Amino acid sequence: MRSVWMFLLVVLIAIACAGIGIYYLIPGIYHILIISETGNPKAYHLKHALLFFVLSILSLVALRYVQPLPAEKMKTHPLQEQEKKQ
């Protein structure tokens, strides 16, 4: 599936995961996704930040497989191909 919309969606997922990773590195903010009696929700959480950074990197790797093809590699222009053959 190589569409522009899928490409933009994966870029947005990568940006969101990187932003959430940075959010977990900031101490003093109440981290809403931390639901634990032993953990301090106002401390920075390195494991969560690393998890979201890894997800961001994986989505950037996925960009390679969803990027749109250049026009010269697409076979949707039969009239242009016929003109080149003549």
Side-chain angles (χ1 to χ4, degrees):
M1 220 176 156
R2 293 180 176 245
S3 68
V4 175
W5 297 109
M6 183 66 75
F7 180 78
L8 291 176
L9 179 69
V10 174
V11 168
L12 289 176
I13 289 172
I15 292 171
C17 287
I20 293 171
I22 292 170
Y23 169 73
Y24 275 117
L25 288 178
I26 301 172
I29 297 176
Y30 182 78
H31 297 109
I32 197 164
L33 297 177
I34 302 295
I35 303 172
S36 174
E37 295 178 15
T38 59
N40 182 6
K42 292 201 176 221
Y44 76 96
H45 300 278
L46 186 60
K47 290 179 187 175
H48 291 83
L50 289 176
L51 173 74
F52 281 104
F53 287 137
V54 167
L55 287 174
S56 177
I57 291 170
L58 287 176
S59 61
L60 290 175
V61 170
L63 277 177
R64 171 69 178 100
Y65 299 103
V66 297
Q67 69 183 358
L69 289 173
E72 60 269 2
K73 288 191 176 183
M74 293 180 74
K75 296 184 179 180
T76 58
H77 306 289
L79 293 177
Q80 291 178 352
E81 290 177 7
Q82 288 177 0
E83 290 174 1
K84 289 180 184 178
K85 288 180 183 178
Q86 295 175 357

